[in-house]
Amino acid sequence: MNSLIIVESPTKVKTIGKYLGPEYDVRASVGHVKDLPKNTLGIDPGKEFEPTYQIIDSKKKVIADLKKAAARAQQIFLAPDPDREGEAIAWHIAEEIRDKKKPIRRVLFNDLTRATILEALAHPRELDFDLYEAQQTRRILDRLVGYLISPILWDKVKRGLSAGRVQSVAVRIICDREAEIRAFVPEEYWNVTALLEGSNPPPFEAKLAKIDGKKAKIGDAERSAEVVASVKEAAFTVAAVEKKEVRRQPPPPFTTSKLQQEASRWLRFSAKKTMSTAQKLYEGIGLGPEGQVGLITYMRTDSVRIAGEALEEAREYIRGHYGTTYLPSKARVFKVAGAAQDAHEAIRPTAVARAPQEIRAFLTPDQFRLYQLIWNRFLASQMNPALLDQTTLDIAAANFLFRAQGSVMKFPGFTALYTEGKEDNGDENGFGKLLPEVREGEVLKLLELKPEQKFTQPPPRFSEASLVRELEENGIGRPSTYAAILSTIQEREYVRLEKGKFIPTDLGILVTDLLVKNFPRILDVAFTASLETELDRIEEGKTKRLDTLNNFYRPFTEELKKAKANMTNIKREETPTDLLCEKCGKPMVIKWGRNGRFLACSNYPDCKNTKNFTRDENGDIRPQEEQPPTDIPCPLCGKPMLARQGRFGKFLGCSGYPECKHTINLAPDGTPVVAAPAEAKEGDAVCEKCGRPLVVKRGRYGTFLGCSGYPECKHIVKTRTAGRPAAPGADQETTDTLCDKCGKPMAVKRGRYGKFLGCTGYPACRNIMKYKK
């Protein structure tokens, strides 16, 4: 029987195709094939929020090809990813290729192994309407929020801004943490540490824990000195020795969010990089003679469930490579959280026998590191716990009690393969220092007493790992959406990532403040989490899409009306400052422009003085003084060039602006990319059309030489080095192949899709040919 299988990714076509015979035609939709229109809302609230889906322009040929393939097939299997988005893709494809005479069934591939693929094809199911409805509801909610709130921000702040049902809440979480940090007032405290020596080595440190039986609190240097003076005169005696065995249990195999967190901590991967790399491992990697192989199970899951056969395979590997001391008496089964969707297994290798080192040669460095992380975590989850001997010493010194804690690894257990990463370079293994053998009543020798000043610290800024954890714990979004959320809020310039920590920009703080004041319900963390719960209930068939949308939309329309009327118009807002304009003496005010906040004279338009500014640690304004003129003359008018800052970084601008608008780009090291001189001399780059000097300019694809006579002359030349045009044919490798149109040699050239052969007679002859080595 001739069957058509439709998957999302072309890579999957290769992986699946090698397991099936010629009676199966495997094709890819390359993602979504239909979406809401770009330029209209595409949703009719008056007709039960009916969405208007359109075939994506770039997918029209894909749909046409799928229709032809479907016409030849006797049965059709839809096999996009096994989640809500995949179900929506399957529904949209079915709508376009449906034939009442032919069955269309849904198959789910949790991994791309022969056994899983054959099992799924043997047990197909019908399309899941509830799952599709849950995806549609999410898409409609996101569309309503983004499409209807964003224009208000354009009107009140600036064009191009966006709001999002989930992204705006994520930005709020970052902004709220920044507000906590800025409001934090550090408090001084002191630690007192004693370096002690007993009858057995080594010397060890003990920290002051209690004074007169209460927790030690030392608030200043004076009190610290008093404590040190009193302690020095006291005898140090071991008051108690507590020893106990501690068992550290292994963590469960990866869910999506935990994979993103650990890849961030251990590998310094962004959530986006983690998911794109995991996608490749799932879809299949070429392993030499073995061909295309899917290396991990589906990577979008919040379940820790593991298939029975995978557990047995892991146990056999542990028994054979680590011995029975590392193997528990029975397979470890982890409890699935109540809110988790248990449709898929946890993320694990499809075959434990494919150890990372054995297939390293076939993987990129990033693929190897992520696969190794997944492989190690899965195998470690089925190992025995680590055993530690933990010791706590209480040492009395008059009315003071000092405490020392240490732990020694007794049996490594699962830690032989894996330990969880920690934030901020914490103790990665959680093991303490080594303590000597002492007995109760033993008198210890004081070697040194060290008082140390400390200050309480504000809550830390979020890293990618800790923000993912925060979103998950608060029920914001789903694990499959975290990577997109983190990428979007950075692309919108609402936050920036500095030294691995999220910091809100002025724009992010401004927009968040406006949204919180005008859309408090939409920006409420608990409300956003409740919508995620509603989506889960729709997926489970416990509630209807229309009920959820109506409950959301009725109050939303009132919020929109109030926001349009009452939201502060930042474009017109001026914040007074104590600074005076050095040109006219009038007060300076803070305004908002397309590149952010800036200082402007309140006497505008009579005085057009403006300045950039920064804020110090206390929030006070610090104007950025304009740099003095450089000694570089403008190539066009001869006036000195000035160092300026634009949206794309620093550059040199003519001091004759606005009469002369010439600019010079700066190289990454800050040196000017000097243009050709105003008057062409021998050896200078000149325009071959009009004879004027060529100047270095920057476009979307890098630097180039443009005629200084622009816009009258629009001639441009490719450039290889600053101010020097590329030699004719410098970017070409001439071949022996002749052009079949003009007879000139063909040259190897490179375009956006790779190498091709182009006629050396270009632009007179534009003939191109396919390149073959």
Side-chain angles (χ1 to χ4, degrees):
M1 181 181 289
N2 184 25
S3 301
L4 171 65
I5 301 176
I6 302 175
V7 295
E8 283 184 51
S9 162
T11 308
K12 285 186 187 178
V13 173
K14 296 180 183 178
T15 307
I16 295 170
K18 78 167 195 171
Y19 296 126
L20 303 175
E23 66 271 21
Y24 287 94
D25 181 9
V26 187
R27 293 176 177 260
S29 69
V30 198
H32 281 276
V33 295
K34 297 171 81 172
D35 199 2
L36 297 171
K38 287 185 177 181
N39 300 320
T40 60
L41 179 61
I43 297 164
D44 190 348
K47 293 184 178 179
E48 299 185 343
F49 299 92
E50 181 182 346
T52 303
Y53 288 108
Q54 298 177 343
I55 297 176
I56 300 168
D57 287 342
S58 61
K59 300 300 175 67
K60 289 180 179 178
K61 185 178 185 303
V62 172
I63 288 293
D65 291 342
L66 291 179
K67 284 182 177 179
K68 292 177 184 176
R72 296 191 296 267
Q74 293 174 288
Q75 61 177 348
I76 301 166
F77 297 104
L78 300 177
D81 286 349
D83 55 16
R84 287 178 189 165
E85 294 300 312
E87 201 69 21
I89 293 171
W91 272 82
H92 290 158
I93 293 172
E95 288 172 352
E96 295 301 316
I97 68 172
R98 190 178 296 280
D99 184 337
K100 293 182 180 179
K101 298 178 182 178
K102 296 178 182 178
I104 296 181
R105 311 294 297 279
R106 179 82 163 102
V107 291
L108 305 177
F109 301 144
N110 185 56
D111 58 60
L112 299 183
T113 58
R114 178 191 297 273
T116 299
I117 292 168
L118 295 178
E119 176 70 15
L121 290 173
H123 300 91
R125 65 162 172 80
E126 299 299 322
L127 288 167
D128 189 332
F129 180 72
D130 291 331
L131 191 58
Y132 176 50
E133 283 282 85
Q135 191 278 342
Q136 277 208 104
T137 307
R138 182 203 62 77
R139 184 74 181 94
I140 292 169
L141 286 170
D142 290 348
R143 183 71 161 200
L144 290 172
V145 171
Y147 209 89
L148 298 178
I149 294 181
S150 297
I152 301 176
L153 294 176
W154 300 352
D155 181 51
K156 305 291 185 178
V157 185
K158 70 172 185 176
R159 289 194 66 81
L161 298 181
S162 71
R165 183 181 63 85
V166 177
Q167 78 171 43
S168 296
V169 177
V171 176
R172 180 187 182 172
I173 289 173
I174 295 170
C175 290
D176 286 350
R177 175 60 58 88
E178 192 68 20
E180 288 181 59
I181 294 170
R182 293 181 180 181
F184 182 82
V185 179
E187 295 181 4
E188 181 183 8
Y189 70 97
W190 286 72
N191 287 333
V192 178
T193 304
L195 180 61
L196 302 168
E197 185 178 44
S199 56
N200 295 311
F204 64 96
E205 290 185 339
K207 186 179 289 186
L208 179 61
K210 292 183 179 182
I211 302 175
D212 294 326
K214 298 179 180 178
K215 183 178 179 181
K217 291 184 179 180
I218 304 174
D220 53 42
E222 185 178 353
R223 175 59 178 152
S224 173
E226 292 174 1
V227 170
V228 169
S230 300
V231 171
K232 277 184 177 178
E233 304 302 322
F236 284 78
T237 306
V238 178
V241 178
E242 182 186 357
K243 293 184 177 182
K244 60 181 180 180
E245 184 181 82
V246 177
R247 300 167 70 88
R248 288 187 60 204
Q249 299 294 338
F254 281 130
T255 60
T256 302
S257 64
K258 288 295 187 290
L259 176 62
Q260 292 171 356
Q261 292 172 49
E262 289 293 273
S264 173
R265 291 168 182 149
W266 282 118
L267 310 181
R268 296 293 182 259
F269 281 11
S270 68
K272 183 177 182 179
K273 181 176 182 177
T274 298
M275 295 309 291
S276 64
T277 306
Q279 182 89 31
K280 292 182 177 70
L281 295 174
Y282 164 69
E283 291 179 350
I285 301 292
L287 299 184
E290 199 174 352
Q292 201 85 0
V293 176
L295 294 178
I296 64 171
T297 54
Y298 191 56
M299 64 286 161
R300 295 187 181 94
T301 177
D302 52 4
S303 172
V304 292
R305 178 176 57 82
I306 294 294
E309 58 270 22
L311 291 176
E312 284 306 311
E313 185 185 0
R315 289 176 59 80
E316 281 301 315
Y317 191 94
I318 294 168
R319 183 182 289 109
H321 289 76
Y322 291 89
T324 55
T325 55
Y326 284 84
L327 188 68
S329 58
K330 60 180 180 179
R332 184 175 281 104
V333 178
F334 294 91
K335 185 178 179 181
V336 178
Q341 302 297 298
D342 199 30
H344 312 302
E345 286 186 67
I347 303 168
R348 62 169 176 83
T350 54
V352 171
R354 294 193 188 95
Q357 290 294 345
E358 294 179 9
I359 60 172
R360 184 170 192 168
F362 303 104
L363 305 177
T364 66
D366 287 345
Q367 290 170 353
F368 168 76
R369 294 170 71 199
L370 190 65
Y371 179 69
Q372 185 178 50
L373 193 72
I374 294 168
W375 191 91
N376 285 354
R377 172 99 169 202
F378 170 62
L379 211 61
S381 74
Q382 292 303 313
M383 285 182 158
N384 269 323
L387 302 181
L388 295 85
D389 280 334
Q390 190 176 81
T391 304
T392 302
L393 305 181
D394 282 352
I395 299 139
N399 59 325
F400 302 96
L401 183 73
F402 286 77
R403 181 164 289 159
Q405 290 182 317
S407 54
V408 178
M409 178 70 76
K410 187 177 180 181
F411 172 66
F414 76 93
T415 64
L417 259 185
Y418 187 84
T419 55
E420 287 193 287
K422 301 291 182 183
E423 288 288 317
D424 300 322
N425 299 316
D427 175 18
E428 291 176 350
N429 297 318
F431 307 138
K433 53 185 176 290
L434 182 67
L435 295 177
E437 284 291 331
V438 297
R439 66 183 187 280
E440 287 189 23
E442 181 178 345
V443 178
L444 305 174
K445 181 181 178 181
L446 175 64
L447 300 178
E448 185 181 1
L449 206 55
K450 297 183 288 187
E452 185 179 11
Q453 184 186 36
K454 296 276 190 176
F455 291 91
T456 55
Q457 297 296 311
R461 292 188 173 101
F462 289 107
S463 64
E464 285 214 0
S466 59
L467 182 58
V468 166
R469 185 178 65 239
E470 187 79 6
L471 293 172
E472 182 181 35
E473 290 177 352
N474 284 284
I476 306 300
R478 276 287 173 261
S480 59
T481 65
Y482 295 154
I485 293 168
L486 269 56
S487 295
T488 299
I489 61 179
Q490 293 177 77
E491 290 165 2
R492 302 296 186 196
E493 297 183 354
Y494 291 148
V495 301
R496 64 180 185 275
L497 201 59
E498 284 189 8
K499 297 180 180 178
K501 301 292 184 179
F502 282 113
I503 301 175
T505 62
D506 283 347
L507 179 64
I509 293 171
L510 172 70
V511 170
T512 299
D513 286 345
L514 292 174
L515 293 177
V516 169
K517 290 175 184 175
N518 294 274
F519 297 95
R521 189 176 64 113
I522 305 297
L523 270 286
D524 181 67
V525 171
F527 175 75
T528 305
S530 71
L531 282 181
E532 296 297 338
T533 303
E534 282 296 296
L535 295 178
D536 292 341
R537 286 172 56 79
I538 293 170
E539 180 176 330
E540 295 162 3
K542 295 178 180 178
T543 191
K544 299 297 182 184
R545 170 172 69 95
L546 187 58
D547 294 337
T548 299
L549 292 173
N550 276 327
N551 292 337
F552 171 83
Y553 190 70
R554 290 190 191 103
F556 183 52
T557 54
E558 294 301 316
E559 292 167 338
L560 288 169
K561 290 177 184 176
K562 291 179 181 178
K564 289 176 182 177
N566 302 327
M567 183 181 285
T568 304
N569 193 324
I570 301 300
K571 290 180 179 178
R572 300 175 185 174
E573 188 180 59
E574 297 179 353
T575 305
T577 71
D578 296 330
L579 302 173
L580 298 179
C581 174
E582 71 274 16
K583 293 185 177 180
C584 71
K586 295 289 177 68
M588 299 290 281
V589 295
I590 298 175
K591 291 187 174 183
W592 188 272
R594 66 178 181 176
N595 296 324
R597 286 190 170 102
F598 65 97
L599 287 172
C601 181
S602 58
N603 195 28
Y604 179 87
D606 294 332
C607 178
K608 298 181 179 180
N609 185 25
T610 62
K611 288 185 177 183
N612 291 322
F613 72 92
T614 58
R615 291 186 184 271
D616 61 19
E617 294 178 354
N618 299 320
D620 296 329
I621 295 170
R622 293 286 180 265
Q624 292 181 337
E625 299 297 331
E626 189 172 89
Q627 298 294 321
T630 68
D631 56 2
I632 300 173
C634 173
L636 299 186
C637 71
K639 292 182 179 178
M641 302 294 284
L642 301 174
R644 298 191 181 278
Q645 179 82 30
R647 64 183 303 184
F648 299 114
K650 294 180 179 179
F651 67 96
L652 296 180
C654 181
S655 58
Y657 180 88
E659 289 77 18
C660 178
K661 299 181 179 180
H662 184 63
T663 63
I664 296 177
N665 295 316
L666 294 178
D669 61 1
T671 58
V673 181
V674 182
E679 294 182 4
K681 300 175 184 177
E682 186 177 356
D684 290 335
V686 295
C687 175
E688 63 186 46
K689 291 190 176 181
C690 70
R692 293 189 181 98
L694 293 174
V695 294
V696 178
K697 297 188 176 183
R698 186 184 297 276
R700 64 184 299 185
Y701 300 115
T703 57
F704 64 94
L705 290 175
C707 181
S708 57
Y710 180 87
E712 289 81 14
C713 178
K714 298 182 179 180
H715 181 60
I716 63 171
V717 179
K718 281 186 179 180
T719 177
R720 286 294 176 90
T721 56
R724 298 178 186 173
D731 60 341
Q732 303 176 2
E733 176 190 337
T734 305
T735 69
D736 295 331
T737 304
L738 299 180
C739 175
D740 54 15
K741 291 189 176 180
C742 70
K744 291 184 178 179
M746 301 294 283
V748 179
K749 299 188 177 184
R750 182 177 293 277
R752 65 184 299 184
Y753 300 112
K755 291 181 179 180
F756 66 94
L757 293 179
C759 181
T760 54
Y762 179 88
C765 178
R766 298 174 182 259
N767 186 26
I768 62 172
M769 298 180 183
K770 189 174 182 181
Y771 172 73
K772 294 182 180 179
K773 289 186 179 181

